[in-house]
Amino acid sequence: MSDASSSEASNGGERIRVAVLGAAGRMGTTVCRAVLAADDMELVAAIDPPHEGEPLDAFGVTGTGLTIDMLGPSLKKKADPQVAVDFTHMEAARGNLRWCGMNGVHAVVGTTGLTPSDLTDLSALFDGERANAIVAPNFAIGAVLIVLAVFLYIGLALNPREVPSPLVGKPGPGFSLARHGQASEYLT
């Protein structure tokens, strides 16, 4: 988007905080540059464990002041990414997705090789409340960034605690549910 005010308006005036996983690779550096060029995104972390401690500048992505880091407990506190874009390899992507899901970070994955079983295992971590994930292997970078932009525009503008409902303003339906393991106690 060329008009910064319209792009910021689509996200409540805030820039989307993005971490790139696999940042030192060919696709990772391309994603870093695309995020830097976007008016409504901010590159907050570059992740690539084999290159931990090296400046991102060394990989041709200049002017960020970022040093390549690892995923870990301190990253969420230090960079607070809202979205992670993963262009790593299958084994790394599995762990990266687990970290994202457990830390409430939305994920866009361009890594190939994840199996249906992997996706089933990871789906519990991306339940739509804490975080969402898009897995788009073998996509061109442009297609992934378009999906990312649409995903972010829609998803980050919503409050997951406020779900549109045809029952707004009306009393909720009555229910009675036995408490698990204590059949004599009911929730109503």
Side-chain angles (χ1 to χ4, degrees), residues 76-87:
K76 181 69 174 160
K77 291 178 187 173
K78 182 170 58 172
D80 193 26
Q82 295 168 299
V83 176
V85 180
D86 185 296
F87 270 103

Side-chain angles (χ1 to χ4, degrees), residues 16 18 31 35 41 83-85 107-108 134 142-154:
I16 300 162
V18 180
V31 173
V35 170
M41 294 185 211
V83 176
V85 180
V108 177
I134 293 175
V144 170
L145 290 175
I146 289 169
V147 169
L148 172 64
V150 169
F151 173 67
L152 294 174
Y153 177 79
I154 294 169

Side-chain angles (χ1 to χ4, degrees), residues 1-8 10-11 14-18 30-44 85 145-146 148-150 152:
M1 295 182 190
S2 59
D3 180 11
S5 62
S6 67
S7 64
E8 287 180 4
S10 69
N11 190 23
E14 292 183 29
R15 295 174 73 197
I16 300 162
R17 301 174 57 80
V18 180
T30 302
V31 173
C32 288
R33 286 187 198 99
V35 170
L36 289 169
D39 293 335
D40 56 352
M41 294 185 211
E42 176 184 5
L43 182 62
V44 296
V85 180
L145 290 175
I146 289 169
L148 172 64
V150 169
L152 294 174

Side-chain angles (χ1 to χ4, degrees), residues 20 23-24 32 43-49 51-59 61 63-71 75 78-79:
V20 176
C32 288
L43 182 62
V44 296
I47 308 300
D48 207 319
H51 302 285
E52 180 185 13
E54 295 180 49
L56 188 56
D57 290 1
F59 299 92
V61 182
T64 67
L66 291 174
T67 300
I68 295 185
D69 208 345
M70 293 182 63
L71 284 181
L75 180 69
K78 182 170 58 172

